[in-house]
């Protein structure tokens, strides 16, 4: 066809790169849930994620959760820092040492403290967005 660029070399290179494609966030999450011997409901409940949000994550390679939701799921699975970094990068995020909220989350994960309420309390106390729709008790 006239006007069609020669894609011979580019097609081969693109095919090669696409073979290196990693699992999506949802695919990796489901694999981790299985590897850890957990149930999806247990994980999304511990993470404070709604069933509908979890279904969107599970169903689509094009759907990525918010950073907070991705971190909440990593915490619910008791992932270490390397596993957390790997999981959240699949949704396009990273933990940054220039972000106080990221440092707070990293502090808890690094010490093996996987209590979402404790983490949310510290985030809220320091004026940051919580990982879930956590609310302080009205008695406080």
């Amino acid at each position: 066809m006239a006007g069609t660029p020669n894609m011979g070399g580019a097609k081969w290179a693109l095919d090669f790169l696409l073979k290196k494609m990693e699992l999506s966030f949802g695919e990796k999450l489901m694999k981790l849930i299985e590897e850890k011997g957990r149930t999806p409901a247990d994980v999304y409940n511990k993470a404070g994620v709604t069933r509908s949000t979890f279904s969107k994550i599970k169903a689509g390679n094009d759907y990525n959760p918010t950073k907070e939701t991705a971190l909440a799921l990593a915490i619910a699975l008791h992932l270490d820092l390397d596993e957390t970094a790997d999981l959240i990068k699949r949704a396009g995020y990273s933990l940054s040492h220039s972000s106080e909220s990221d440092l707070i989350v990293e502090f808890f994960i690094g010490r093996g403290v996987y209590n979402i309420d404790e983490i949310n309390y510290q985030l809220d106390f320091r004026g940051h967005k919580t990982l879930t729709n956590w609310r302080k008790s009205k008695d406080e």
Side-chain angles (χ1 to χ4, degrees):
M1 253 193 210
T4 303
N6 180 356
M7 295 294 289
K11 182 184 180 324
W12 176 86
L14 181 59
D15 288 345
F16 176 77
L17 285 174
L18 291 176
K19 287 180 184 175
K20 292 181 157 197
M21 190 157 171
E22 296 179 341
L23 297 175
S24 69
F25 179 88
E27 291 167 335
K28 182 66 175 184
L29 177 64
M30 296 311 295
K31 184 177 179 183
L32 286 166
I33 289 170
E34 184 178 324
E35 287 174 358
K36 303 268 183 190
R38 308 280 291 280
T39 65
D42 176 49
V43 172
Y44 70 72
N45 284 326
K46 282 192 187 273
V49 173
T50 65
R51 184 177 180 183
S52 66
T53 297
F54 187 83
S55 292
K56 289 178 194 174
I57 293 168
K58 183 179 169 185
N61 292 341
D62 293 335
Y63 180 83
N64 286 318
T66 65
K67 183 175 184 178
E68 292 80 16
T69 296
L71 286 169
L73 289 164
I75 290 163
L77 280 167
H78 294 202
L79 301 183
D80 65 24
L81 286 171
D82 289 338
E83 292 170 316
T84 297
D86 179 65
L87 179 63
I88 69 171
K89 85 172 181 178
R90 294 164 191 273
Y93 307 115
S94 65
L95 289 172
S96 171
H97 285 180
S98 62
S99 165
E100 186 177 76
S101 60
D102 285 359
L103 286 168
I104 291 166
V105 172
E106 187 175 323
F107 172 86
F108 282 97
I109 293 172
R111 281 154 185 77
V113 178
Y114 297 101
N115 184 313
I116 294 270
D117 289 333
E118 282 186 50
I119 297 168
N120 279 337
Y121 174 81
Q122 286 301 321
L123 289 167
D124 182 67
F125 180 75
R126 297 175 189 320
H128 298 288
K129 185 175 181 182
T130 57
L131 300 181
T132 61
N133 288 328
W134 176 84
R135 299 284 182 254
K136 287 190 286 187
S137 168
K138 293 183 190 229
D139 297 335
E140 292 184 81

